[in-house]
């Protein structure tokens, strides 16, 4: 009897999934795994899957990016370069200003927009009662191997899939630095840890000073295929 109940449940779930996929059954877009990601919608258990889908679908990624407040400029392809960039964007900022614009793949730009809206600003409001006005970074695209080694695997920076975040400026002008404030036991250190943890919801890899000494002054965030949050 139990086997028949289990089979019925599986068939019901499968039928519902097919109905949603074919459009026969309407569900809210943020609960539909096949609906495009809406950056403005609150994240849920499907968000990670929707972010992952963007890596192999430029059109779907562009659609998701249009739902954000991020200002971007498409860049010319450099397919013949040592580290080719196809479909790269120059991110000029959104609700949070940047210390400078940076190059990004479309998936990185979408992940950054999600991070800014759903992790960074909520953390600032929770800890300080105000928004972050500017994000300071150390750059994104760099045609190099991991840790600048002479040989080995290319860094995610070599494909503009990574960004190094160094600190933040709050609306009242106060600055928070990963290098200076991470080791402390105060409000700023609490904020940085909350930001690091929130970044793990948007990016596939987040490396902080807890990872190793090479990251003592920044958060490395990227949209590679591995998943690390430390």
């Amino acid at each position: 009897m139990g086997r028949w109940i289990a089979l019925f449940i599986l068939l019901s779930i499968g039928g519902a999934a097919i109905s949603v996929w074919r459009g026969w059954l309407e569900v809210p877009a943020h609960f539909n795994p096949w609906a495009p990601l809406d950056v403005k919608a609150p994240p849920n258990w499907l968000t990670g899957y929707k972010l992952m889908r963007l890596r192999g679908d430029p059109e779907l990624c562009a659609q998701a990016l249009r739902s954000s407040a991020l200002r971007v400029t498409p860049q010319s392809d450099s397919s013949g370069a040592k580290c080719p960039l196809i479909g790269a964007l120059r991110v000029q900022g959104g609700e949070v200003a940047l210390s400078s614009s940076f190059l990004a793949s479309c998936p990185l730009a979408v992940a950054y927009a999600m991070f800014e809206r759903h992790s960074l600003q909520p953390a600032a409001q929770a800890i300080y009662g105000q928004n972050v006005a500017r994000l300071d970074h150390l750059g994104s695209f760099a045609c190099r191997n991991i840790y600048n080694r002479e040989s080995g695997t290319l860094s995610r920076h070599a494909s503009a899939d990574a960004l190094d975040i160094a600190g933040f400026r709050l609306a009242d002008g106060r600055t928070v630095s990963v290098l200076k404030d991470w080791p402390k036991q105060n409000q700023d250190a609490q904020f940085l840890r909350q930001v690091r943890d929130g970044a793990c919801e948007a990016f596939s890899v987040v490396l902080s000073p807890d990872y190793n000494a090479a990251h003592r002054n920044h958060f490395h965030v990227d949209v590679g295929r591995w998943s690390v949050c430390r």
Side-chain angles (χ1 to χ4, degrees):
M1 183 68 175
R3 287 184 303 174
W4 290 110
I5 294 175
L7 179 60
F8 174 77
I9 292 173
L10 287 174
L11 289 173
S12 298
I13 293 173
I18 291 172
S19 296
V20 172
W21 175 58
R22 301 287 291 184
W24 299 334
L25 178 63
E26 290 190 13
V27 297
H30 57 287
F31 288 121
N32 181 347
W34 294 283
L37 175 70
D38 182 353
V39 170
K40 293 184 175 67
N44 61 24
W45 58 280
L46 284 172
T47 302
Y49 169 72
K50 291 189 175 187
L51 284 166
M52 182 183 65
R53 289 180 65 203
L54 305 183
R55 299 175 197 165
D57 194 327
E59 184 176 339
L60 188 65
C61 190
Q63 188 172 356
L65 189 58
R66 286 193 294 270
S67 73
S68 78
L70 210 59
R71 300 186 303 277
V72 300
T73 303
Q75 302 296 289
S76 299
D77 292 343
S78 57
S79 55
K82 179 182 177 182
C83 296
L85 291 181
I86 308 297
L89 306 164
R90 181 161 292 281
V91 178
Q92 297 165 319
E95 295 177 358
V96 176
L98 298 169
S99 55
S100 62
S101 63
F102 64 87
L103 286 175
S105 65
C106 181
L108 177 66
V110 173
Y112 174 80
M114 291 288 296
F115 161 71
E116 178 186 289
R117 183 180 181 89
H118 300 292
S119 298
L120 180 59
Q121 296 294 37
Q125 283 292 334
I127 302 298
Y128 302 112
Q130 60 180 302
N131 279 345
V132 169
R134 191 181 80 179
L135 179 144
D136 297 328
H137 67 86
L138 304 178
S140 56
F141 174 69
C143 186
R144 62 172 176 82
N145 295 326
I146 294 175
Y147 296 122
N148 285 302
R149 293 168 180 156
E150 291 186 6
S151 61
T153 305
L154 281 173
S155 166
R156 298 310 307 184
H157 286 285
S159 53
D161 280 335
L163 177 68
D164 289 339
I165 300 172
F168 311 92
R169 177 173 291 180
L170 302 176
D172 65 2
R174 178 178 180 176
T175 60
V176 184
S177 161
V178 175
L179 176 63
K180 295 179 180 179
D181 296 313
W182 183 270
K184 298 176 182 177
Q185 300 293 324
N186 62 6
Q187 191 180 46
D188 296 336
Q190 182 184 358
F191 168 69
L192 289 172
R193 280 160 177 77
Q194 191 164 328
V195 169
R196 188 271 311 271
D197 294 346
C200 296
E201 301 298 319
F203 302 98
S204 53
V205 171
V206 178
L207 305 178
S208 72
D210 280 350
Y211 185 67
N212 61 17
H215 296 85
R216 66 188 179 279
N217 66 339
H218 68 278
F219 298 151
H220 167 97
V221 299
D222 75 48
V223 290
R225 298 190 180 279
W226 299 104
S227 180
V228 181
C229 176
R230 186 175 173 187

